[in-house]
Amino acid sequence: MMVARQSLNLIAPSALAVAMLIVLQVYLGQWQVPQKKMEHLMYLPDPEYLQLISVGYRELVADALWLQAIQVMGERKISETAGRWLYRAFDIITTLDPKFVRVYEAGGLALTTLVVLPEESNQLLMKGVEHNPDEWKLPFYLGINYYFELYDDGKAGEYMAQASRISGAPSGLVPFAANLFASAKSPQQAVDILATAYHNTSDENAKKLLELRLKIMLAERDVVMLEQAINRYHTVQRRFPARLEDLVAAGMLQQLPQEPGGGQYVYDATTGAVSSSEFPERPKMTGKRRIRRQQ
């Protein structure tokens, strides 16, 4: 009798899990109908309820829900309403299994490719970053969203910088983040991330490339500083300074910066434009962005 009871104790949890998955599969079977599989997303139970009934089998339930969500993601395009239901499904799955990294990655992309819901995509990805801080792709995708979807280069740079600091991240994320900071008119942040990468690398070839990028960004920082001083001078004097030295004489700058490439800063007194003789082409982002929808 004791052996039989022990056997029942071993079998009961497995049987419960199988029964639960069968019930869940019957419920989710409605999704197989092409016209209705998206609509049934709205009837998913709350994650707290699923956590309660899953009794230690949350990962299995999350897997079952994910398999069904994949079918919806197989569509070329979905409506905004269906996209919000899909986001809710992703949220439920990752509440049941916060370490299910694939859901954050694929779900975050689906919410900006199958439908344009960057805010929901960001919420899912930020949830992923919170529970999986060692996954560099999650802040990377956040950076892509802020650049491509939301036109916020500063935020994009911050997430790219965060991704670049995680083990396994491609080295190309550092200059990418630096260019985003430069585009956001925050060249000092670009200088900081490049300088840190330069000091932390032992690869001589990488050091040479980083040194060049660092000089370019130092020149950009100086040009931005000079432009700001020129604008302040113009506001006060109602004209551009005749030469850059006038900025120091007028108290707009303590001293003129030295061009990091060994050249000089070229100034046009008729337009107020200033540039580096060694790096005349200023760093910028050239990637195409999604055209914003009219509000």
Side-chain angles (χ1 to χ4, degrees):
M1 179 67 70
M2 182 63 70
V3 173
R5 184 173 297 176
Q6 290 175 342
S7 299
L8 284 174
N9 288 338
L10 292 173
I11 294 172
S14 299
L16 178 60
V18 171
M20 182 175 59
L21 287 174
I22 290 174
V23 171
L24 187 60
Q25 186 63 35
V26 170
Y27 163 75
L28 292 172
Q30 301 173 82
W31 287 15
Q32 304 298 326
V33 181
Q35 296 84 354
K36 295 187 176 182
K37 63 184 178 182
M38 295 183 190
E39 284 83 346
H40 284 290
L41 287 170
M42 67 184 296
Y43 299 117
L44 282 173
D46 289 336
E48 293 77 15
Y49 175 75
L50 286 175
Q51 284 179 316
L52 181 64
I53 68 171
S54 60
V55 289
Y57 294 91
R58 294 178 183 176
E59 289 81 3
L60 288 175
V61 176
D63 287 343
L65 288 170
W66 175 239
L67 289 174
Q68 298 297 330
I70 289 174
Q71 297 183 34
V72 178
M73 292 165 62
E75 300 292 320
R76 292 185 177 181
K77 190 176 182 181
I78 60 177
S79 69
E80 183 172 320
T81 300
R84 296 188 188 282
W85 296 339
L86 188 58
Y87 164 71
R88 184 169 182 271
F90 295 147
D91 186 46
I92 291 172
I93 293 168
T94 52
T95 297
L96 291 170
D97 186 359
K99 297 294 185 180
F100 204 155
V101 175
R102 180 59 179 163
V103 179
Y104 299 115
E105 293 178 352
L109 287 173
L111 291 170
T112 56
T113 53
L114 300 181
V115 63
V116 185
L117 293 174
E119 288 81 7
E120 286 77 3
S121 175
N122 282 354
Q123 289 175 29
L124 179 66
L125 289 167
M126 285 188 282
K127 182 180 180 182
V129 169
E130 178 184 356
H131 292 288
N132 304 273
D134 295 330
E135 297 288 339
W136 68 266
K137 289 183 181 179
L138 300 178
F140 169 78
Y141 289 141
L142 276 165
I144 292 295
N145 278 357
Y146 272 105
Y147 173 75
F148 183 72
E149 303 285 352
L150 301 175
Y151 285 53
D152 190 335
D153 293 357
K155 270 288 187 183
E158 290 174 10
Y159 280 112
M160 285 298 173
Q162 180 179 342
S164 73
R165 292 190 290 267
I166 298 174
S167 177
S171 59
L173 291 189
V174 170
F176 192 13
N179 277 358
L180 284 164
F181 284 134
S183 180
K185 299 299 181 183
S186 299
Q188 183 58 55
Q189 287 181 282
V191 168
D192 291 342
I193 189 174
L194 288 169
T196 299
Y198 176 82
H199 290 298
N200 289 342
T201 186
S202 58
D203 186 306
E204 289 303 318
N205 290 328
K207 266 188 175 297
K208 290 179 181 178
L209 290 174
L210 286 168
E211 182 180 13
L212 175 60
R213 291 182 181 276
L214 185 54
K215 288 181 178 180
I216 293 172
M217 211 56 69
L218 285 167
E220 174 66 13
R221 182 189 64 182
D222 290 348
V223 167
V224 170
M225 179 182 65
L226 289 168
E227 287 176 336
Q228 293 171 346
I230 291 167
N231 288 336
R232 290 196 300 272
Y233 185 99
H234 188 275
T235 299
V236 174
Q237 302 292 338
R238 301 297 180 182
R239 60 181 177 82
F240 292 121
R243 53 181 189 157
L244 292 178
E245 286 77 9
D246 292 348
L247 296 172
V248 178
M252 303 299 174
L253 291 175
Q254 290 186 347
Q255 61 183 20
L256 291 178
Q258 290 188 340
E259 205 281 334
Q264 58 185 352
Y265 290 110
V266 181
Y267 172 62
D268 185 342
T270 60
T271 63
V274 61
S275 63
S276 162
S277 63
E278 300 302 300
F279 311 110
E281 186 174 348
R282 300 178 67 173
K284 61 182 178 180
M285 295 298 300
T286 57
K288 293 183 178 180
R289 310 188 197 224
R290 189 190 301 276
I291 298 175
R292 294 187 186 185
R293 293 178 295 177
Q294 296 295 324
Q295 300 295 327

